[in-house]
Amino acid sequence: MSERFSFDLHARDGKARTGVIQTPRGAVRTPAFMPVGTAATVKAMMPESVRATGADILLGNTYHLMLRPTAERIDRLGGLHKFMNWERPILTDSGGFQVMSLAGLRKLTEKGVTFKSHIDGSKHELTPERSMEIQRLLGSDIVMCFDECPALPADRDRIAESMRLSMRWAERSRAAFGDRPGHALFGIMQGGLEQDLREESAEALKAIGFEGYAVGGLAVGEGQEAMFDCLDYAPGFLPEDKPRYLMGVGKPDDIVGAVKRGIDMMDCVLPSRSGRTGQVFTRHGVLNIKNARHIDDPRPLDEACTCPACRNFSRAYLHHVFRSQEIISSMLLTWHNLHYFQEIMAGMREAIAAGTFAAWEADFHAGRAQGDI
Ligand SMILES: Nc1nc2c(CCc3ccccc3)c3nc[nH]c3cc2c(=O)[nH]1
């Protein structure tokens, strides 16, 4: 274990990179996929099961945890790692994104955001300073700046104004974060789909200086083509020697396309949330287990998969427990999807190290039949 936070780049293949983020709580192999544990749990998964899928780090959510059970209570109980029994690294979002998508009666000013809890209607305020305090109380290893992510579509002036507010909040986040050896503060680049605004945001963040840099403001409905167009230039505006985190992405082909364009870390609720709706990701494409065609199928979801769902159960069984709304359905499908997403990451790390990323990517796309699998 290292006593400090560092990023070692081991190999590149085109724009794709592979390396290791060292933290006092353990190493994070990059490119990394980070499961989302919003309310101090990756839904339907025990922490040791999340680790068994290959995850080195998971995500927590300032917005949810500040409302319930509150950051102060988690701090009194020993911090988020102890509270949720996950002793490896945790990254927490700063809360602003979730306020704008979940809370009611929001008021945005230069100071921050006031809002009413979606749980009980109580009034709350989030500012850069309060967000840093909450993430410190949680014990987060990687802290995200407090930012504003504008809903798309938005006109250029709105995006520019929002980005410049986020840069002023990044300055305040840096000042409030203080000196926390072994912990990291990541800046978040904004600027919508405007190349010049993205560059202005990156320059502002580099002038402040962060241990890592996120590409924010994407995966908000712009679509894959627009996202990739932005990723064709945005990561390149960020420091070469620091981790680059693309927030909220994504489907398997989004993830591969992002790594190909120089992204090192990603998060998405997709594998866990869709598992609970019966959606299953495999190397041959996507299927939904609730479809009647699985009712007598003795085969596993994916013959080549080594996860507990594929090793021990048939599609017929998984169809049955999904239809019967049995709890084990969410457990097995979530485990399978997270396992498959980590398999994609492991495959890319190996291919980049071997200089065979293009061949790996071609094989990845070739395996994904269209339609029923
Ligand atoms: N702070 C912030 N978060 C974002 C998230 C949530 C990621 C997250 C982190 C940790 C836990 C849950 C979610 C986004 N999700 C999709 N697009 C996103 C954009 C942003 C963004 O611009 N800023």
Side-chain angles (χ1 to χ4, degrees):
M1 293 308 179
S2 76
E3 280 316 301
R4 58 187 187 78
F5 182 94
S6 63
F7 179 48
D8 307 304
L9 259 178
H10 292 165
R12 290 177 178 80
D13 188 341
K15 287 183 176 180
R17 302 124 59 89
T18 185
V20 178
I21 299 172
Q22 295 290 353
T23 83
R25 284 202 169 89
V28 180
R29 297 162 290 179
T30 67
F33 180 80
M34 306 182 285
V36 179
T38 295
T41 161
V42 178
K43 290 176 173 52
M45 296 286 286
M46 295 283 279
E48 53 267 38
S49 305
V50 175
R51 177 60 184 163
T53 66
D56 293 333
I57 178 172
L58 60 81
L59 266 51
N61 227 312
T62 288
Y63 171 77
H64 295 79
L65 295 172
M66 73 183 280
L67 298 180
R68 185 173 58 189
T70 77
E72 285 73 12
R73 175 165 287 110
I74 290 176
D75 177 46
R76 286 197 302 272
L77 291 161
L80 184 55
H81 295 82
K82 185 170 187 305
F83 189 57
M84 69 181 292
N85 192 33
W86 171 267
E87 287 305 331
R88 287 180 176 272
I90 293 177
L91 179 151
T92 47
D93 200 7
S94 45
F97 182 82
Q98 288 81 21
V99 167
M100 303 319 272
S101 50
L102 288 171
L105 209 61
R106 305 177 300 267
K107 186 166 178 294
L108 174 68
T109 66
E110 181 71 28
K111 185 173 184 250
V113 185
T114 56
F115 60 94
K116 290 183 80 170
S117 161
H118 73 286
I119 296 170
D120 61 12
S122 53
K123 282 200 74 168
H124 297 267
E125 180 184 50
L126 262 181
T127 64
E129 294 77 16
R130 176 63 178 146
S131 179
M132 294 303 110
E133 181 187 33
I134 290 170
Q135 296 179 76
R136 181 182 53 74
L137 287 167
L138 295 174
S140 171
D141 302 284
I142 301 179
V143 170
M144 299 309 292
C145 278
F146 187 67
D147 66 330
E148 206 236 337
C149 172
L152 290 183
D155 64 37
R156 182 184 157 82
D157 290 349
R158 165 85 179 91
I159 289 172
E161 183 193 325
S162 171
M163 179 271 287
R164 288 164 189 152
L165 173 64
S166 289
M167 296 305 101
R168 294 192 295 275
W169 284 358
E171 191 94 57
R172 286 168 52 191
S173 296
R174 179 90 265 178
F177 180 80
D179 181 21
R180 300 185 61 211
H183 297 79
L185 178 63
F186 278 24
I188 305 177
M189 176 206 270
Q190 293 291 347
L193 303 175
E194 308 289 331
Q195 185 162 345
D196 59 336
L197 298 181
R198 284 280 174 186
E199 186 163 20
E200 178 185 328
S201 182
E203 290 311 311
L205 295 177
K206 289 188 284 191
I208 299 167
F210 292 98
E211 291 71 70
Y213 295 81
V215 179
L218 294 176
V220 287
E222 74 279 359
Q224 185 182 79
E225 187 182 350
M227 181 176 78
F228 281 172
D229 287 348
C230 182
L231 293 176
D232 281 341
Y233 58 76
F237 293 151
L238 298 172
E240 181 75 18
D241 63 341
K242 296 285 190 307
R244 298 158 178 173
Y245 164 26
L246 174 59
M247 303 188 88
V249 173
K251 302 192 304 310
D253 51 332
D254 295 334
I255 289 172
V256 173
V259 168
K260 180 179 183 176
R261 292 167 174 80
I263 293 296
D264 304 306
M265 304 158 75
M266 284 152 288
D267 83 270
C268 194
V269 292
L270 185 65
S272 37
R273 182 177 294 169
S274 63
R276 298 195 298 278
T277 68
Q279 187 173 46
V280 175
F281 292 90
T282 79
R283 71 201 74 236
H284 305 301
V286 185
L287 68 85
N288 201 304
I289 201 62
K290 67 185 169 194
N291 189 307
R293 63 191 177 87
H294 302 297
I295 196 165
D296 290 313
D297 194 333
R299 295 175 303 160
L301 294 171
D302 179 347
E303 304 283 354
C305 182
T306 59
C307 85
C310 292
R311 278 202 320 269
N312 306 318
F313 301 96
S314 65
R315 290 180 182 209
Y317 175 79
L318 294 169
H319 174 83
H320 161 66
V321 289
F322 180 86
R323 284 283 188 189
S324 313
Q325 297 184 332
E326 287 295 335
I327 292 168
I328 195 170
S329 176
S330 293
M331 294 165 67
L332 290 171
L333 298 185
T334 300
W335 192 322
H336 169 80
N337 283 346
L338 288 176
H339 174 99
Y340 174 59
F341 272 54
Q342 293 299 343
E343 287 245 293
I344 294 172
M345 306 318 291
M348 288 196 285
R349 292 192 294 261
E350 195 180 314
I352 296 165
T356 59
F357 183 78
W360 183 92
E361 184 192 13
D363 179 64
F364 168 82
H365 286 296
R368 312 176 72 69
Q370 299 314 319
D372 295 344
I373 51 171

